[in-house]
Coordinates of all heavy atoms in Angstrom, one line a residue:
M1498 N 118.7 86.9 86.6 CA 118.0 87.8 87.4 C 117.9 87.3 88.8 O 117.6 86.1 89.0 CB 116.6 88.0 86.8 CG 115.7 88.9 87.7 SD 114.1 89.2 87.0 CE 114.4 90.1 85.6
M1499 N 118.0 88.1 89.8 CA 117.9 87.8 91.2 C 116.4 87.7 91.6 O 115.6 88.5 91.1 CB 118.6 88.8 92.1 CG 120.1 88.8 92.0 SD 120.7 89.9 93.2 CE 121.7 90.9 92.2
Q1500 N 116.1 86.8 92.5 CA 114.8 86.8 93.1 C 114.9 87.2 94.6 O 115.7 86.6 95.3 CB 114.2 85.4 93.0 CG 114.0 84.9 91.6 CD 113.6 83.5 91.5 OE1 114.0 82.6 92.3 NE2 112.7 83.2 90.6
L1501 N 114.1 88.2 95.0 CA 114.1 88.6 96.3 C 112.7 88.3 96.9 O 111.7 88.8 96.5 CB 114.3 90.1 96.4 CG 114.3 90.7 97.8 CD1 115.4 90.2 98.6 CD2 114.3 92.2 97.7
Y1502 N 112.7 87.3 97.9 CA 111.5 86.9 98.6 C 111.4 87.8 99.8 O 112.3 87.9 100.6 CB 111.6 85.5 99.0 CG 111.6 84.5 97.9 CD1 112.8 84.2 97.2 CD2 110.4 83.9 97.4 CE1 112.8 83.3 96.2 CE2 110.5 83.0 96.4 CZ 111.7 82.7 95.8 OH 111.7 81.8 94.7
S1503 N 110.3 88.6 99.8 CA 110.1 89.5 101.0 C 108.7 89.6 101.4 O 107.8 89.2 100.6 CB 110.7 90.9 100.6 OG 109.9 91.5 99.6
G1504 N 108.5 90.0 102.6 CA 107.1 90.2 103.1 C 106.8 91.7 103.3 O 107.7 92.4 103.9
T1505 N 105.6 92.1 103.0 CA 105.3 93.5 103.2 C 105.2 93.9 104.6 O 105.4 95.1 105.0 CB 104.0 93.9 102.4 OG1 103.0 93.0 102.9 CG2 104.2 93.7 100.9
T1506 N 104.9 92.9 105.5 CA 104.8 93.2 106.9 C 106.0 92.8 107.7 O 106.0 92.9 108.9 CB 103.6 92.6 107.5 OG1 103.7 91.1 107.3 CG2 102.3 93.1 106.9
C1507 N 107.0 92.3 107.1 CA 108.3 91.8 107.7 C 109.3 92.9 107.9 O 109.7 93.5 106.9 CB 108.9 90.7 106.9 SG 110.4 90.1 107.5
P1508 N 109.6 93.3 109.2 CA 110.6 94.4 109.4 C 112.0 94.1 108.8 O 112.7 95.0 108.4 CB 110.6 94.5 110.9 CG 110.1 93.2 111.4 CD 109.2 92.6 110.4
F1509 N 112.3 92.8 108.7 CA 113.6 92.5 108.2 C 113.7 92.7 106.7 O 114.7 93.0 106.1 CB 114.0 91.0 108.6 CG 114.1 90.9 110.1 CD1 113.1 90.2 110.7 CD2 115.1 91.4 110.8 CE1 113.1 90.0 112.1 CE2 115.1 91.3 112.2 CZ 114.1 90.6 112.8
S1510 N 112.6 92.4 106.0 CA 112.5 92.7 104.6 C 112.5 94.1 104.3 O 113.1 94.5 103.2 CB 111.1 92.1 104.0 OG 111.1 90.7 104.1
H1511 N 112.1 95.0 105.2 CA 112.1 96.4 105.0 C 113.5 96.9 104.9 O 113.8 98.0 104.3 CB 111.3 97.1 106.1 CG 109.9 97.0 105.9 ND1 109.0 98.0 106.0 CD2 109.1 95.9 105.8 CE1 107.8 97.6 105.8 NE2 107.8 96.3 105.7
R1512 N 114.5 96.2 105.6 CA 115.9 96.7 105.5 C 116.4 96.6 104.1 O 117.3 97.3 103.8 CB 116.7 95.8 106.4 CG 116.5 96.0 107.9 CD 117.4 95.1 108.7 NE 117.2 95.1 110.1 CZ 117.7 94.3 110.9 NH1 118.6 93.4 110.5 NH2 117.5 94.4 112.2
A1513 N 116.0 95.7 103.3 CA 116.5 95.5 101.9 C 115.8 96.4 101.0 O 116.2 96.5 99.8 CB 116.3 94.1 101.5
W1514 N 114.7 97.1 101.3 CA 113.9 97.9 100.4 C 114.7 99.1 99.8 O 114.5 99.4 98.7 CB 112.6 98.4 101.1 CG 111.6 97.3 101.1 CD1 111.8 96.0 100.8 CD2 110.3 97.4 101.5 NE1 110.6 95.3 101.0 CE2 109.7 96.2 101.5 CE3 109.5 98.5 102.0 CZ2 108.4 95.9 101.8 CZ3 108.2 98.3 102.3 CH2 107.6 97.0 102.2
P1515 N 115.5 99.8 100.6 CA 116.2 101.0 99.9 C 117.1 100.5 98.8 O 117.1 101.1 97.7 CB 117.1 101.6 101.1 CG 116.4 101.2 102.3 CD 115.7 99.8 102.0
L1516 N 117.8 99.4 98.9 CA 118.6 98.9 97.8 C 117.8 98.4 96.7 O 118.1 98.5 95.5 CB 119.6 97.8 98.3 CG 120.7 98.3 99.2 CD1 121.5 97.1 99.8 CD2 121.6 99.3 98.5
R1517 N 116.7 97.8 97.1 CA 115.7 97.3 96.0 C 115.2 98.4 95.2 O 115.1 98.4 94.0 CB 114.6 96.6 96.7 CG 113.6 95.9 95.8 CD 112.5 95.2 96.6 NE 111.4 96.0 96.6 CZ 110.2 95.7 97.1 NH1 110.1 94.5 97.7 NH2 109.2 96.5 97.2
A1518 N 114.9 99.6 95.8 CA 114.4 100.7 95.1 C 115.5 101.3 94.2 O 115.2 101.7 93.1 CB 114.0 101.8 96.1
L1519 N 116.7 101.3 94.6 CA 117.8 101.8 93.8 C 118.1 101.0 92.6 O 118.4 101.5 91.5 CB 119.1 101.9 94.6 CG 119.2 103.1 95.6 CD1 120.6 103.0 96.3 CD2 119.2 104.4 94.8
T1520 N 118.0 99.7 92.7 CA 118.3 98.8 91.6 C 117.1 98.4 90.8 O 117.3 97.7 89.8 CB 119.1 97.6 92.2 OG1 118.3 96.9 93.1 CG2 120.4 97.9 92.8
K1521 N 115.9 98.7 91.2 CA 114.7 98.2 90.5 C 114.7 98.8 89.1 O 114.1 98.1 88.2 CB 113.5 98.6 91.3 CG 112.3 97.9 90.8 CD 111.1 98.0 91.8 CE 110.0 97.2 91.3 NZ 108.9 97.1 92.3
R1522 N 115.2 100.0 88.9 CA 115.1 100.6 87.6 C 115.9 99.7 86.5 O 115.6 99.7 85.4 CB 115.7 102.0 87.6 CG 114.8 102.9 88.3 CD 115.4 104.3 88.2 NE 114.5 105.2 89.0 CZ 114.9 106.4 89.3 NH1 116.0 106.9 88.9 NH2 114.1 107.2 90.1
A1523 N 116.9 99.0 87.0 CA 117.7 98.2 86.1 C 117.1 96.8 86.0 O 117.7 96.0 85.3 CB 119.1 98.1 86.6
W1524 N 116.0 96.5 86.6 CA 115.3 95.2 86.5 C 116.3 94.1 87.0 O 116.4 93.1 86.4 CB 114.8 94.9 85.1 CG 113.8 95.9 84.7 CD1 114.0 97.0 83.9 CD2 112.4 96.0 85.2 NE1 112.8 97.7 83.8 CE2 111.8 97.1 84.6 CE3 111.7 95.2 86.0 CZ2 110.5 97.5 84.8 CZ3 110.4 95.6 86.2 CH2 109.8 96.7 85.6
I1525 N 117.0 94.3 88.1 CA 117.9 93.3 88.6 C 117.1 92.3 89.4 O 117.5 91.2 89.5 CB 119.0 94.0 89.5 CG1 119.8 94.9 88.5 CG2 119.8 93.0 90.2 CD1 120.7 95.8 89.3
F1526 N 116.1 92.8 90.1 CA 115.3 91.9 91.0 C 114.0 91.5 90.4 O 113.3 92.2 89.8 CB 114.9 92.6 92.3 CG 116.1 92.9 93.2 CD1 116.6 94.2 93.4 CD2 116.7 91.9 93.9 CE1 117.6 94.4 94.2 CE2 117.8 92.1 94.7 CZ 118.2 93.4 94.9
Q1527 N 113.6 90.3 90.7 CA 112.2 89.8 90.6 C 111.7 89.7 92.1 O 112.2 88.9 92.8 CB 112.1 88.5 89.9 CG 110.7 88.0 89.9 CD 110.6 86.6 89.4 OE1 111.6 85.9 89.1 NE2 109.4 86.1 89.2
V1528 N 110.9 90.6 92.5 CA 110.4 90.7 93.9 C 109.2 89.8 94.0 O 108.3 89.9 93.2 CB 110.1 92.1 94.3 CG1 109.6 92.1 95.7 CG2 111.3 93.0 94.1
I1529 N 109.3 88.9 94.9 CA 108.3 87.9 95.2 C 107.7 88.2 96.6 O 108.4 88.0 97.6 CB 108.8 86.5 95.1 CG1 109.3 86.2 93.7 CG2 107.7 85.5 95.4 CD1 110.1 85.0 93.5
D1530 N 106.5 88.8 96.7 CA 105.9 89.1 97.9 C 105.4 87.8 98.6 O 104.6 87.1 97.9 CB 104.8 90.1 97.8 CG 105.4 91.5 97.5 OD1 106.4 91.8 98.1 OD2 104.8 92.2 96.7
V1531 N 105.7 87.6 99.8 CA 105.3 86.4 100.5 C 104.4 86.7 101.7 O 104.7 87.7 102.4 CB 106.6 85.6 101.0 CG1 106.2 84.4 101.8 CG2 107.5 85.2 99.9
D1532 N 103.3 86.0 101.8 CA 102.4 86.1 102.9 C 103.1 85.6 104.2 O 103.5 84.4 104.2 CB 101.1 85.4 102.7 CG 100.1 85.5 103.8 OD1 100.4 86.3 104.8 OD2 99.0 84.9 103.7
M1533 N 103.3 86.4 105.2 CA 104.1 86.0 106.4 C 103.4 84.9 107.1 O 104.0 84.2 107.8 CB 104.3 87.3 107.3 CG 105.1 88.3 106.7 SD 106.9 87.8 106.6 CE 107.2 87.5 108.3
Y1534 N 102.1 84.8 107.0 CA 101.3 83.8 107.8 C 101.0 82.6 107.0 O 100.5 81.6 107.5 CB 100.0 84.5 108.3 CG 100.3 85.7 109.1 CD1 100.1 87.0 108.6 CD2 100.9 85.6 110.4 CE1 100.4 88.1 109.4 CE2 101.2 86.7 111.2 CZ 100.9 87.9 110.7 OH 101.3 89.0 111.4
N1535 N 101.4 82.6 105.7 CA 101.2 81.4 104.9 C 102.4 81.3 103.9 O 102.2 81.4 102.7 CB 99.9 81.5 104.1 CG 99.5 80.3 103.4 OD1 100.0 79.2 103.7 ND2 98.6 80.4 102.5
K1536 N 103.6 81.0 104.5 CA 104.8 81.0 103.6 C 104.8 79.7 102.8 O 104.4 78.6 103.3 CB 106.0 81.0 104.5 CG 106.2 82.3 105.3 CD 107.4 82.2 106.1 CE 107.4 83.3 107.2 NZ 108.4 83.1 108.2
P1537 N 105.3 79.8 101.6 CA 105.5 78.6 100.8 C 106.6 77.7 101.5 O 107.5 78.2 102.2 CB 105.9 79.1 99.5 CG 106.0 80.5 99.5 CD 105.6 81.0 100.9
E1538 N 106.6 76.4 101.2 CA 107.6 75.5 101.8 C 109.0 75.8 101.3 O 109.9 75.5 101.9 CB 107.2 74.1 101.5 CG 105.9 73.6 102.2 CD 105.5 72.2 101.8 OE1 106.3 71.5 101.2 OE2 104.4 71.8 102.2
D1539 N 109.0 76.4 100.1 CA 110.4 76.8 99.5 C 111.2 77.6 100.4 O 112.4 77.6 100.4 CB 110.2 77.4 98.2 CG 109.6 76.5 97.1 OD1 109.5 75.3 97.4 OD2 109.2 77.1 96.0
I1540 N 110.5 78.5 101.2 CA 111.3 79.4 102.1 C 112.0 78.6 103.1 O 113.2 78.9 103.4 CB 110.3 80.4 102.7 CG1 109.6 81.3 101.7 CG2 111.0 81.3 103.7 CD1 110.5 82.2 100.8
A1541 N 111.4 77.6 103.7 CA 112.1 76.8 104.7 C 113.2 76.0 104.1 O 114.2 75.7 104.8 CB 111.1 75.9 105.4
V1542 N 113.1 75.7 102.9 CA 114.2 74.9 102.2 C 115.4 75.9 101.9 O 116.6 75.5 102.1 CB 113.7 74.3 100.9 CG1 114.9 73.7 100.1 CG2 112.7 73.3 101.2
M1543 N 115.1 77.1 101.5 CA 116.1 78.1 101.2 C 116.8 78.7 102.5 O 118.0 79.0 102.5 CB 115.6 79.2 100.4 CG 115.2 78.8 99.0 SD 114.7 80.1 97.9 CE 113.0 80.4 98.5
N1544 N 116.0 78.9 103.5 CA 116.4 79.5 104.7 C 116.1 78.6 105.9 O 115.0 78.4 106.2 CB 115.7 80.9 104.9 CG 116.2 81.6 106.2 OD1 116.9 81.0 107.0 ND2 115.8 82.8 106.3
P1545 N 117.1 78.1 106.6 CA 116.9 77.1 107.7 C 116.1 77.8 108.8 O 115.5 77.1 109.6 CB 118.3 76.7 108.1 CG 119.2 77.7 107.6 CD 118.6 78.3 106.4
Y1546 N 116.1 79.1 108.9 CA 115.3 79.8 110.0 C 113.9 80.1 109.5 O 113.1 80.6 110.3 CB 116.0 81.1 110.4 CG 117.4 80.8 110.9 CD1 118.5 81.2 110.1 CD2 117.7 80.2 112.1 CE1 119.8 81.0 110.5 CE2 119.0 80.0 112.5 CZ 120.0 80.4 111.7 OH 121.3 80.1 112.2
N1547 N 113.6 79.8 108.3 CA 112.2 80.0 107.7 C 111.8 81.5 107.9 O 110.6 81.8 108.3 CB 111.2 79.1 108.4 CG 109.9 79.0 107.6 OD1 109.9 79.2 106.3 ND2 108.9 78.6 108.2
R1548 N 112.7 82.4 107.6 CA 112.4 83.8 107.7 C 112.7 84.5 106.4 O 113.3 84.0 105.5 CB 113.3 84.5 108.8 CG 113.0 83.9 110.2 CD 113.8 84.6 111.2 NE 113.6 84.0 112.5 CZ 114.4 84.1 113.5 NH1 115.6 84.7 113.4 NH2 114.1 83.5 114.7
L1549 N 112.2 85.8 106.3 CA 112.4 86.6 105.2 C 113.3 87.8 105.6 O 113.4 88.1 106.7 CB 111.1 87.1 104.7 CG 110.1 86.1 104.2 CD1 108.8 86.7 103.9 CD2 110.6 85.4 103.0
P1550 N 114.0 88.4 104.6 CA 114.0 88.2 103.2 C 115.0 87.1 102.8 O 115.9 86.7 103.6 CB 114.5 89.5 102.7 CG 115.4 90.0 103.8 CD 114.8 89.6 105.0
V1551 N 114.8 86.6 101.6 CA 115.7 85.6 101.0 C 116.1 86.1 99.6 O 115.2 86.5 98.8 CB 115.1 84.2 100.9 CG1 116.0 83.3 100.2 CG2 114.7 83.7 102.3
L1552 N 117.4 86.2 99.3 CA 117.8 86.6 98.0 C 118.4 85.3 97.3 O 119.3 84.6 97.9 CB 118.9 87.7 98.1 CG 119.5 88.1 96.7 CD1 118.5 89.0 96.0 CD2 120.8 88.9 96.9
V1553 N 118.0 85.1 96.1 CA 118.4 83.9 95.3 C 119.0 84.5 94.0 O 118.3 85.2 93.3 CB 117.3 82.9 95.0 CG1 117.8 81.8 94.2 CG2 116.7 82.4 96.3
E1554 N 120.3 84.1 93.8 CA 120.9 84.4 92.5 C 121.7 83.2 92.0 O 122.7 82.8 92.6 CB 121.9 85.6 92.6 CG 122.5 85.9 91.3 CD 123.5 87.1 91.3 OE1 124.1 87.3 92.4 OE2 123.7 87.7 90.3
R1555 N 121.2 82.5 91.0 CA 121.7 81.3 90.5 C 121.8 80.3 91.7 O 120.8 79.9 92.3 CB 123.0 81.5 89.8 CG 122.8 82.3 88.6 CD 124.1 82.5 87.8 NE 124.1 83.8 87.2 CZ 125.2 84.6 87.1 NH1 126.3 84.2 87.7 NH2 125.1 85.7 86.5
D1556 N 123.0 79.9 92.1 CA 123.3 78.9 93.1 C 123.5 79.6 94.5 O 123.7 78.9 95.5 CB 124.5 78.0 92.8 CG 124.2 77.1 91.6 OD1 123.0 76.9 91.3 OD2 125.2 76.7 90.9
L1557 N 123.5 80.9 94.5 CA 123.7 81.6 95.8 C 122.4 82.0 96.5 O 121.5 82.5 95.8 CB 124.5 82.9 95.5 CG 124.8 83.8 96.7 CD1 125.8 83.2 97.6 CD2 125.3 85.2 96.2
I1558 N 122.3 81.6 97.7 CA 121.1 81.9 98.5 C 121.6 82.7 99.8 O 122.4 82.2 100.5 CB 120.4 80.7 98.9 CG1 119.9 79.9 97.7 CG2 119.2 81.0 99.9 CD1 119.2 78.6 98.0
L1559 N 121.1 83.9 99.9 CA 121.4 84.7 101.1 C 120.1 85.0 101.9 O 119.1 85.3 101.2 CB 122.0 86.0 100.7 CG 123.3 85.9 99.9 CD1 123.7 87.3 99.4 CD2 124.4 85.3 100.7
Y1560 N 120.1 84.9 103.2 CA 118.9 85.0 103.9 C 119.0 85.9 105.2 O 118.2 85.8 106.1 CB 118.3 83.7 104.3 CG 119.3 82.7 104.9 CD1 119.6 82.8 106.3 CD2 119.9 81.7 104.2 CE1 120.5 81.9 106.9 CE2 120.8 80.8 104.8 CZ 121.0 80.9 106.1 OH 121.9 80.0 106.7
E1561 N 120.0 86.8 105.2 CA 120.1 87.7 106.3 C 120.1 89.1 105.7 O 120.9 89.4 104.8 CB 121.4 87.5 107.1 CG 121.7 88.5 108.2 CD 120.6 88.5 109.3 OE1 120.1 87.5 109.7 OE2 120.3 89.7 109.7
S1562 N 119.2 90.0 106.1 CA 119.0 91.3 105.4 C 120.3 92.1 105.4 O 120.6 92.7 104.3 CB 117.9 92.1 106.1 OG 118.2 92.3 107.5
N1563 N 121.1 92.1 106.4 CA 122.4 92.9 106.3 C 123.4 92.2 105.3 O 124.1 93.0 104.6 CB 123.1 92.9 107.7 CG 122.3 93.8 108.7 OD1 121.6 94.7 108.3 ND2 122.4 93.5 110.0
I1564 N 123.4 90.9 105.3 CA 124.3 90.3 104.3 C 123.8 90.5 102.9 O 124.6 90.8 101.9 CB 124.3 88.7 104.6 CG1 124.8 88.5 106.0 CG2 125.1 88.0 103.5 CD1 126.2 88.9 106.3
I1565 N 122.5 90.5 102.7 CA 121.9 90.8 101.4 C 122.3 92.2 100.9 O 122.7 92.4 99.8 CB 120.4 90.6 101.4 CG1 120.0 89.2 101.5 CG2 119.7 91.2 100.1 CD1 118.5 88.9 101.8
N1566 N 122.2 93.2 101.8 CA 122.5 94.5 101.5 C 124.0 94.7 101.1 O 124.4 95.3 100.2 CB 122.2 95.5 102.7 CG 120.7 95.7 102.8 OD1 119.9 95.4 101.9 ND2 120.3 96.3 103.9
E1567 N 124.9 94.0 101.9 CA 126.3 94.1 101.6 C 126.6 93.5 100.3 O 127.5 94.0 99.5 CB 127.1 93.4 102.7 CG 127.1 94.1 104.0 CD 127.9 93.4 105.1 OE1 128.7 92.5 104.8 OE2 127.7 93.7 106.3
Y1568 N 126.0 92.3 100.0 CA 126.2 91.7 98.7 C 125.8 92.6 97.6 O 126.6 92.7 96.6 CB 125.5 90.3 98.7 CG 125.5 89.7 97.3 CD1 126.7 89.0 96.9 CD2 124.5 89.7 96.4 CE1 126.8 88.4 95.7 CE2 124.5 89.1 95.2 CZ 125.7 88.5 94.8 OH 125.8 87.9 93.6
I1569 N 124.6 93.2 97.6 CA 124.2 94.0 96.5 C 125.0 95.3 96.4 O 125.4 95.7 95.3 CB 122.7 94.4 96.8 CG1 121.8 93.2 96.7 CG2 122.2 95.5 95.8 CD1 120.4 93.3 97.1
E1570 N 125.4 95.9 97.5 CA 126.3 97.0 97.5 C 127.6 96.7 96.8 O 128.1 97.5 96.0 CB 126.6 97.5 98.9 CG 125.4 98.2 99.5 CD 125.6 98.5 101.0 OE1 126.7 98.1 101.5 OE2 124.7 99.1 101.6
S1571 N 128.2 95.5 97.1 CA 129.5 95.2 96.5 C 129.3 94.7 95.1 O 130.2 95.0 94.2 CB 130.2 94.1 97.3 OG 129.5 92.9 97.3
A1572 N 128.3 94.0 94.8 CA 128.1 93.4 93.4 C 127.8 94.5 92.4 O 128.2 94.4 91.2 CB 127.0 92.4 93.4
F1573 N 127.1 95.6 92.8 CA 126.6 96.6 91.9 C 127.2 98.0 92.2 O 126.8 99.0 91.6 CB 125.1 96.7 91.9 CG 124.5 95.4 91.4 CD1 123.9 94.5 92.4 CD2 124.5 95.0 90.1 CE1 123.4 93.3 92.0 CE2 123.9 93.8 89.7 CZ 123.4 93.0 90.7
R1574 N 128.2 98.0 93.1 CA 129.0 99.2 93.4 C 128.0 100.3 93.8 O 128.2 101.5 93.3 CB 129.9 99.6 92.3 CG 130.9 98.5 92.0 CD 131.9 98.9 90.9 NE 132.8 97.8 90.7 CZ 133.5 97.6 89.6 NH1 133.4 98.5 88.7 NH2 134.2 96.6 89.5
I1575 N 127.1 100.0 94.6 CA 126.2 101.0 95.2 C 126.8 101.6 96.5 O 127.3 100.8 97.3 CB 124.8 100.4 95.4 CG1 124.2 99.9 94.1 CG2 123.9 101.4 96.1 CD1 123.0 99.1 94.3
P1576 N 126.8 102.9 96.7 CA 127.3 103.4 97.9 C 126.6 102.8 99.1 O 125.4 102.6 99.1 CB 127.0 104.9 97.8 CG 126.8 105.2 96.4 CD 126.3 103.9 95.8
S1577 N 127.3 102.6 100.2 CA 126.7 101.9 101.3 C 125.8 102.8 102.1 O 126.0 104.0 102.2 CB 127.9 101.5 102.3 OG 127.4 100.9 103.5
F1578 N 124.7 102.2 102.6 CA 123.8 103.0 103.5 C 124.2 102.9 104.9 O 123.8 103.7 105.7 CB 122.4 102.3 103.4 CG 121.7 102.7 102.1 CD1 121.6 101.8 101.1 CD2 121.1 103.9 102.0 CE1 120.9 102.1 100.0 CE2 120.4 104.2 100.8 CZ 120.3 103.3 99.8
M1579 N 125.2 102.1 105.2 CA 125.6 101.9 106.6 C 126.9 102.8 106.8 O 127.7 102.9 105.9 CB 125.9 100.5 106.9 CG 124.7 99.5 106.8 SD 123.4 100.0 107.9 CE 124.1 99.6 109.4
P1580 N 127.0 103.4 108.0 CA 128.2 104.1 108.3 C 129.4 103.2 108.4 O 129.3 102.0 108.8 CB 128.0 104.8 109.6 CG 126.9 104.0 110.3 CD 126.1 103.4 109.1
P1581 N 130.6 103.7 108.1 CA 131.8 102.8 108.2 C 132.0 102.4 109.6 O 131.8 103.2 110.6 CB 133.0 103.6 107.6 CG 132.5 105.0 107.7 CD 131.0 105.0 107.7
T1582 N 132.5 101.2 109.8 CA 132.9 100.7 111.2 C 134.3 101.1 111.5 O 135.1 101.3 110.6 CB 132.7 99.2 111.3 OG1 133.6 98.6 110.3 CG2 131.3 98.8 111.1
R1583 N 134.6 101.2 112.8 CA 135.9 101.6 113.2 C 136.9 100.5 113.1 O 136.7 99.4 113.2 CB 135.8 102.2 114.6 CG 135.0 103.4 114.7 CD 135.0 103.9 116.1 NE 134.1 105.0 116.2 CZ 134.3 106.1 116.9 NH1 135.4 106.2 117.6 NH2 133.4 107.0 117.0

């Protein structure tokens, strides 16, 4: 099971919410809400920028919202929310 560390007031975490909503029915994510003003030390260990969101799946750690979305789209064959690039 993947762990998605996100903050309810973090605009970057909001980018991952549409995919989270699509895949939540399958119980793919364990969503861990993080207080933006009192982050656990684990976040800084997982993400050198100490920002959210952070996706953890076994040994894979992703910490950029666009990269997280691309990974989930490709791993679970979900149609992309982003328009194709030229």
Side-chain angles (χ1 to χ4, degrees):
M1498 179 181 291
M1499 290 186 237
Q1500 296 175 323
L1501 179 65
Y1502 294 84
S1503 67
T1505 56
T1506 59
C1507 174
F1509 301 106
S1510 292
H1511 287 231
R1512 289 182 185 171
W1514 284 7
L1516 290 176
R1517 183 178 100 174
L1519 282 177
T1520 56
K1521 193 167 185 169
R1522 291 184 184 168
W1524 298 101
I1525 295 169
F1526 290 110
Q1527 174 187 8
V1528 179
I1529 301 168
D1530 288 321
V1531 176
D1532 181 4
M1533 293 293 298
Y1534 302 105
N1535 189 17
K1536 295 178 195 166
E1538 293 178 10
D1539 294 350
I1540 300 298
V1542 172
M1543 292 184 283
N1544 181 350
Y1546 302 109
N1547 197 23
R1548 295 183 183 155
L1549 298 172
V1551 176
L1552 179 73
V1553 178
E1554 182 182 24
R1555 297 184 211 136
D1556 294 334
L1557 177 68
I1558 298 174
L1559 302 173
Y1560 49 82
E1561 176 62 40
S1562 57
N1563 291 334
I1564 302 298
I1565 290 171
N1566 286 346
E1567 288 179 19
Y1568 173 75
I1569 294 171
E1570 288 170 357
S1571 66
F1573 300 102
R1574 298 182 182 160
I1575 297 172
S1577 178
F1578 283 103
M1579 299 300 293
T1582 58
R1583 293 181 189 219

